[in-house]
Amino acid sequence: MRLMNEALDISTEFDNPTSTFFQMEKLNNWDMNSLSGSITWCRKIKKARHAFNQTSMAYEDTKSWSFPPDYPEKPELLFSSFRISHSVFRVRIALREIAESQVEDETGILVDPCLDDPSGWQTDETEERIIFSSPSMIVELVRNPFSLVIRDGNGNLLTSTIHQHMQTSLRNSDEPVCEIVHNQQSWEKRGRVAFTLSHDERLYGTGESFTSLNKRGQTAVLWSQDAHGCQTERYYKPVPFVMSNRGWGLFLNTTMPAVFDMGKTYDRCFGVYAGDPIIDLFLFTGTPETMLTEYTRITGRAACPPLWSFGLWMSRITYKTREEVEAVADKMRTEKIPCDVIHIDTGWFESDWRCDFAFSPTRFPEPEAMIHRLAEDGYHISLWQLPYFTPRNPLYRELVENGYAVAGPGGRPPTDDAILDFTNPEASVWYKNHIRNLISNGVSAIKADFGEAAPLAGWYASGYDGMKEHNRYPLLYNKAVFEATCEASGEGVIWGRSAWAGSQRYPVHWAGDAENTASAMAATLRAGLSLGLSGFTFWSHDIGGFVKPSDKALYRRWLPFGMLTSHSRCHGAPPKEPWFYDREFTDFFRYTVEFKYRLMPYIMAESIAAANKGWPMVRPLFFHYPSDRTSWFVEDEYLFGRNILAAPIFSEDDDARDVYLPPGRWVDIQTDAVYEGGFWHMVSGGRLMMPVFVREGTVVPLVEPACSTSRIDWDSVTLYICSNTEGSGSHYSSYAASYHPDIGLYDIDTVSGRAVGADHIICRKVYSLVKPEMRQ
C-alpha cells in the first residue's frame, strides 16, 4: 500500500513479470544535418525459469499480441543529439512515437534553450559509428548493436551504455540494460538508460541527500517529500544531477518521478529511470568545477543575496507575541550578540499555523510599528507561511471557488487542504500579491515552508497531472516567493525548504527539520555538500537541531559549523536563545557569532565569486583537489569558499579531532600553527570548538564585529595574511583592494593576493586602513 505523498519508485515497474519490455537494438536513418535518427527496439518478455530448485525470471524474445496489427513488432523511435559546449552533450531518447518538432521543454528548469552549437566540434561518420570530438569530450554513437560511448578529450573511456549484447551476468535479467517497460496494468511506458561504472567509481550529487556523500551503492528515489528529519533516504530537495570522480556526469531534464540506481541493484551499472515520454539527458565531462559550472549555466545560478541575509537569523518555534519578539531583539543587543534577522515562525497569525497572511491583532498589535522599531535597531523581519490552506482558513473558500487550488475529481481539492496551484497564472498573482503586501509593509524575507506535497492525484491548470507537476511544484513555489520579494523590495531572498533542479536560482534553502543528535549534525553536513554539488550556492540549516530543545553540548559543537555556512539560523524547539542556558554558553555564543561577522568581507567576496560560477559556498575537499585521492573520501570536513577549511567536532566527548588537509600548507586560524597538507593531523577545536584553517598564500580580509551588518565599519579592515614573506606594510602593493558599491564593502583580489617569497610561511594579523584610493 502506498501512502499519500510517499516516494514513487518507478524502477519497481521493471520488475513486473506481466509487462512487455523493449530493448535498444540499432541506430537507423541517421541524418548528419539534424543529428537525429531512430532506434529500433527489440520486444522482450520475462519468462520463469526453474533450475536447481530455484525459480528466476529471464528475458526472452517475443512476438506482438496487439490488435489491430498497426502496432510495430519492433518500434523505431526518435533519437536526437545536440552539442551544447565543449564538455556537454545532450541526447533525447523517445519512448513512444513522437516527432522532433513535437518535443518541447516544459519543465521550467533550463535557462538556456540548449540547441546544437557545433563550434569547436569535429564530426566523423563511418559505417560502424558516428564520432563527435571536442577538446574536452568524445562521444561515439555505435550503430549496430547500438551503444553510446563517452570519452574524455584524450580518448580515455569514461562510461558507455549497457545493452543485451554487452551482458556479463550469468542470468540475462540481472544486469540492467537500456530498456522501455510497457506496464500492462496502467499502459504507461517508463524508460531506463544504463551506464557502466568502474570498480572504484564514486558518485556525488542527487540534491540534498542525508546519506553517505558517495552515492555509489545507493538508490536515489527522486521525489520531493517531507523528510521529517535528516536520518533517512528521503529528500526535501531531490535534483537529478550526478557527477563521477572519473570526470563525467549527467543531468536528467525532467520533473517526472525519476530514480538513480547507482550500483545498488547491479554493482557495475548506473541505471537512470525516467517517467517522461522522452528521456532528455545532458552528459558532462571535466573536473567537478567544470561540470558544476556547465550544469548551472544550463539550469541557472543564484544572484548573491543581500548582505544582511548573511548575518545571524534568530528564531524558535515560535515567537507568539510582539512583546516576545521585541524582548529577544533587545536582549541580543544587550548581550552584544550580532544579529540581523528575527524570524517569526507559525505564531504570527491569530490561529497558530493557520496561514492567512495577517498579523494577529491581539498578539501583534501595530505590526508595522514593531517592524519599523526593529529596523531602526538594525533588524530585518522574516515570516513563516505555507501554500496549504486548511478548511477553517478564511482564504480556503476563495481559493476553491476561484479555481486557485489544485483540483481533483469533480473539481474539488483531492486532499482536505486547498493546495495553491502555481501553474494557474491567476492563482500565482493572487499569492504573490499577498507576499508583496507583507514585503511592502517592511517584512524582509518570507520562509517558503513545505511545498513537497503537490498531490499525485491532482489535476493542475497546466493540463498535467501530479506525475508532471509534483516535483515541479517546489520550483514554481520558490520562484513565486522570490519574484514577489524582489518586486516589492528589490532584494532577492527566500528561506525555502523544498526544491528541484533550477531552484538554486531562488536562494536561500535550508536543510529541514534535523534531529538533535550528533548523527543528524553529520548528516546535515553531508546534505549541504550534496546539495552544493547539485548547483546550490547558498544553504543553511537549523543550528543545534530542530525537533527537541537543544542539548547545550550539541548546540555548542553545532554553532561554529552553522556560522561557517553561507547563511546561519538558530531555529527549532525552544529555547534557542543562549541566555536560557547559562552565562558561559552565552559568552561562547557571542564569540562564535562574532567570528562570522569578522569574516564578513571574505564571506561576501567568496559568495559573489561562487554565485558567478554556480559553485557552492560549502564544498567538499575534492571540489578543488580532484587529483588528491584522499579528498574524495572525506565527508565530515568542508571548504568554506576556496580558502578556508572547517572540520566540525561531532562527538560530545572530544575537544579535538583528526583532520585531513589537502595538498599544500594550511594555517590554523586560531593558533597560527602551520600544517602540511596531504596528511591527517590531530587538531584541537580551540575556543571555537572547531578546527578552522586558511590556505597558504591567502589574504583573508576581516572587520571588527558589529551588532548587525548595517553597522559594520567597512573602512577599517583587518588583513589576516598567510604570507611567505616577512614584514607587513610593504605587502599592500601586492594586493588589489576593490570597493563594491552595490554591497558597500572591500574585498581582496584572491589572485593578486596570493603571496610569493621565501620558503617559510608566516601567519600574522596586520591592521591597516583600506581606502578607496588603494584600488588597482
Side-chain angles (χ1 to χ4, degrees):
M1 180 181 67
R2 182 177 174 273
L3 302 176
M4 179 176 287
N5 204 39
E6 188 176 15
L8 183 58
D9 184 352
I10 62 171
S11 70
T12 60
E13 297 187 29
F14 288 77
D15 299 325
N16 188 341
T18 68
S19 295
T20 304
F21 302 88
F22 298 87
Q23 296 177 353
M24 282 185 176
E25 188 173 78
K26 60 182 178 178
L27 179 64
N28 307 299
N29 308 314
W30 183 257
D31 178 29
M32 287 299 295
N33 293 318
S34 63
L35 301 186
S36 65
S38 63
I39 289 179
T40 300
W41 296 79
C42 180
R43 186 183 295 262
K44 304 274 187 178
I45 59 169
K46 284 186 176 179
K47 190 173 181 179
R49 178 177 183 267
H50 185 75
F52 300 104
N53 305 301
Q54 180 171 311
T55 301
S56 60
M57 305 297 294
Y59 287 117
E60 183 176 81
D61 292 340
T62 188
K63 299 286 187 179
S64 173
W65 278 59
S66 299
F67 189 85
D70 282 348
Y71 304 100
E73 192 77 37
K74 292 185 176 182
E76 290 197 12
L77 304 177
L78 175 70
F79 177 90
S80 55
S81 60
F82 307 83
R83 297 157 292 190
I84 305 304
S85 74
H86 286 186
S87 58
V88 184
F89 195 84
R90 181 184 192 181
V91 296
R92 286 174 170 164
I93 305 168
L95 306 186
R96 60 179 175 83
E97 292 187 3
I98 188 171
E100 180 66 38
S101 60
Q102 297 175 279
V103 178
E104 295 182 4
D105 175 46
E106 300 172 331
T107 63
I109 297 172
L110 305 183
V111 296
D112 184 290
C114 295
L115 302 178
D116 188 59
D117 181 4
S119 57
W121 285 85
Q122 292 183 345
T123 306
D124 297 306
E125 185 177 14
T126 69
E127 291 185 2
E128 292 79 24
R129 66 193 66 211
I130 302 100
I131 303 174
F132 302 92
S133 304
S134 79
S136 304
M137 188 178 200
I138 298 172
V139 179
E140 299 177 16
L141 304 179
V142 182
R143 297 179 191 266
N144 187 17
F146 177 81
S147 66
L148 170 66
V149 181
I150 306 297
R151 302 180 186 274
D152 65 20
N154 296 319
N156 299 308
L157 178 65
L158 301 177
T159 189
S160 65
T161 51
I162 302 175
H163 307 271
Q164 273 292 339
H165 69 278
M166 302 166 59
Q167 279 275 340
T168 60
S169 61
L170 186 63
R171 186 169 57 187
N172 71 3
S173 59
D174 279 351
E175 185 170 13
V177 298
C178 295
E179 186 172 64
I180 298 171
V181 60
H182 193 178
N183 189 302
Q184 301 301 298
Q185 283 81 42
S186 67
W187 215 241
E188 295 286 346
K189 291 182 179 179
R190 312 288 183 220
R192 174 177 63 204
V193 183
F195 293 92
T196 57
L197 293 173
S198 297
H199 71 282
D200 58 350
E201 192 153 357
R202 303 172 69 82
L203 299 168
Y204 300 86
T206 76
E208 189 186 60
S209 171
F210 298 103
T211 59
S212 297
L213 189 61
N214 172 22
K215 304 308 173 191
R216 177 69 178 271
Q218 301 181 37
T219 294
V221 180
L222 300 172
W223 176 270
S224 178
Q225 63 181 138
D226 187 342
H228 293 120
C230 63
Q231 297 284 273
T232 73
E233 297 177 342
R234 295 187 290 265
Y235 286 84
Y236 295 107
K237 308 172 189 67
V239 177
F241 173 75
V242 162
M243 64 174 67
S244 162
N245 66 326
R246 285 178 53 80
W248 72 282
L250 66 81
F251 164 59
L252 177 62
N253 179 31
T254 184
T255 61
M256 297 276 276
V259 175
F260 284 0
D261 184 337
M262 295 163 284
K264 182 177 182 180
T265 299
Y266 198 82
D267 184 64
R268 87 158 188 143
C269 174
F270 179 1
V272 178
Y273 295 80
D276 299 85
I278 187 163
I279 298 176
D280 191 6
L281 272 177
F282 289 78
L283 299 163
F284 302 81
T285 61
T287 65
E289 293 180 8
T290 301
M291 287 189 281
L292 203 55
T293 299
E294 287 292 333
Y295 168 71
T296 55
R297 182 179 66 83
I298 292 167
T299 60
R301 297 170 183 156
C304 190
L307 170 64
W308 57 264
S309 72
F310 291 84
L312 175 65
W313 298 49
M314 196 67 232
S315 177
R316 61 159 62 183
I317 184 166
T318 175
Y319 302 130
K320 294 185 177 180
T321 67
R322 173 177 174 174
E323 291 75 14
E324 190 176 17
V325 169
E326 291 179 333
V328 169
D330 291 343
K331 184 69 171 177
M332 294 293 283
R333 294 293 183 251
T334 300
E335 292 290 348
K336 300 187 185 309
I337 298 172
C339 183
D340 273 76
V341 183
I342 301 293
H343 171 71
I344 310 174
D345 214 61
T346 63
W348 62 285
F349 315 111
E350 187 62 34
S351 297
D352 195 8
W353 288 90
R354 187 182 295 172
C355 174
D356 59 5
F357 302 107
F359 278 95
S360 165
T362 57
R363 291 179 289 103
F364 286 90
E366 299 181 325
E368 292 85 357
M370 175 192 72
I371 295 169
H372 178 73
R373 186 218 154 187
L374 293 174
E376 288 185 330
D377 203 10
Y379 286 110
H380 294 257
I381 291 294
S382 166
L383 295 178
W384 177 94
Q385 56 79 67
L386 83 172
Y388 311 154
F389 300 84
T390 59
R392 292 187 177 184
N393 191 311
L395 299 175
Y396 177 91
R397 187 170 182 177
E398 181 182 357
L399 265 74
V400 174
E401 291 181 350
N402 289 318
Y404 294 165
V406 176
R412 302 296 298 175
T415 67
D416 288 342
D417 292 353
I419 298 176
L420 192 76
D421 184 356
F422 286 103
T423 73
N424 182 338
E426 293 181 2
S428 186
V429 168
W430 175 91
Y431 174 79
K432 290 168 72 173
N433 284 339
H434 281 288
I435 300 299
R436 273 192 294 262
N437 181 60
L438 292 169
I439 301 299
S440 297
N441 287 326
V443 174
S444 294
I446 297 296
K447 178 177 175 179
D449 206 355
F450 293 92
E452 307 94 351
L456 181 63
W459 282 95
Y460 297 76
S462 62
Y464 293 109
D465 63 7
M467 288 291 289
K468 182 83 169 183
E469 296 297 348
H470 173 85
N471 282 331
R472 191 162 78 116
Y473 194 93
L475 176 60
L476 299 180
Y477 178 26
N478 295 168
K479 181 175 185 283
V481 178
F482 186 87
E483 288 180 346
T485 303
C486 277
E487 290 161 4
S489 70
E491 294 182 328
V493 63
I494 70 170
W495 199 265
R497 190 178 79 173
S498 59
W500 185 253
S503 286
Q504 70 270 10
R505 304 193 293 264
Y506 314 115
V508 174
H509 293 83
W510 100 98
D513 303 337
E515 297 87 344
N516 307 79
T517 64
S519 178
M521 178 182 167
T524 296
L525 173 54
R526 294 194 299 268
L529 293 170
S530 291
L531 189 67
L533 292 172
S534 305
F536 286 68
T537 298
F538 304 106
W539 172 79
S540 186
H541 45 97
D542 288 346
I543 298 171
F546 171 84
V547 178
K548 296 181 178 180
S550 298
D551 170 77
K552 185 176 74 171
L554 177 67
Y555 201 176
R556 184 183 180 108
R557 298 193 306 278
W558 203 315
L559 189 65
F561 162 41
M563 291 302 110
L564 288 192
T565 49
S566 70
H567 289 74
S568 306
R569 185 180 73 159
C570 298
H571 178 70
K576 301 303 289 191
E577 301 78 18
W579 50 84
F580 286 107
Y581 292 88
D582 55 38
R583 170 51 51 190
E584 183 273 337
F585 183 73
T586 301
D587 293 341
F588 171 79
F589 193 99
R590 179 191 311 107
Y591 175 80
T592 307
V593 176
E594 285 182 345
F595 182 75
K596 177 171 191 177
Y597 277 66
R598 290 179 188 275
L599 282 171
M600 204 59 72
Y602 170 84
I603 293 171
M604 292 306 299
E606 289 290 321
S607 293
I608 293 169
N612 286 340
K613 294 182 178 180
W615 294 357
M617 277 296 288
V618 172
R619 306 166 187 174
L621 307 191
F622 67 75
F623 191 76
H624 291 308
Y625 300 91
S627 298
D628 179 46
R629 183 175 177 84
T630 303
S631 289
W632 290 91
F633 290 82
V634 178
E635 61 178 28
D636 61 353
E637 306 170 19
Y638 63 98
L639 295 169
F640 185 49
R642 178 179 283 275
N643 300 313
I644 288 179
L645 185 150
I649 293 177
F650 300 96
S651 174
E652 181 177 354
D653 299 325
D654 295 339
D655 57 9
R657 59 160 289 177
D658 279 324
V659 179
Y660 179 76
L661 297 173
R665 288 196 284 190
W666 296 82
V667 180
D668 185 330
I669 200 169
Q670 299 185 77
T671 66
D672 292 353
V674 181
Y675 294 86
E676 287 292 333
F679 299 97
W680 291 88
H681 303 272
M682 177 60 69
V683 183
S684 168
R687 188 176 175 186
L688 273 176
M689 286 294 295
M690 181 174 76
V692 180
F693 302 86
V694 179
R695 185 169 61 101
E696 174 192 33
T698 299
V699 177
V700 180
L702 306 171
V703 290
E704 287 300 310
C707 65
S708 72
T709 55
S710 63
R711 310 289 172 85
I712 290 175
D713 179 7
W714 295 105
D715 287 330
S716 182
V717 175
T718 301
L719 301 181
Y720 188 81
I721 301 179
C722 297
S723 170
N724 292 352
T725 309
E726 295 276 7
S728 55
S730 60
H731 291 186
Y732 297 138
S733 61
S734 300
Y735 309 127
S738 57
Y739 180 71
H740 292 283
D742 53 332
I743 54 176
L745 59 85
Y746 299 92
D747 77 278
I748 302 301
D749 186 301
T750 57
V751 176
S752 61
R754 294 298 304 280
V756 295
D759 292 334
H760 62 283
I761 181 170
I762 294 176
C763 185
R764 63 174 68 229
K765 297 180 178 68
V766 181
Y767 294 86
S768 172
L769 189 66
V770 181
K771 294 289 190 181
E773 54 266 25
M774 287 184 61
R775 281 179 270 168
Q776 295 183 1

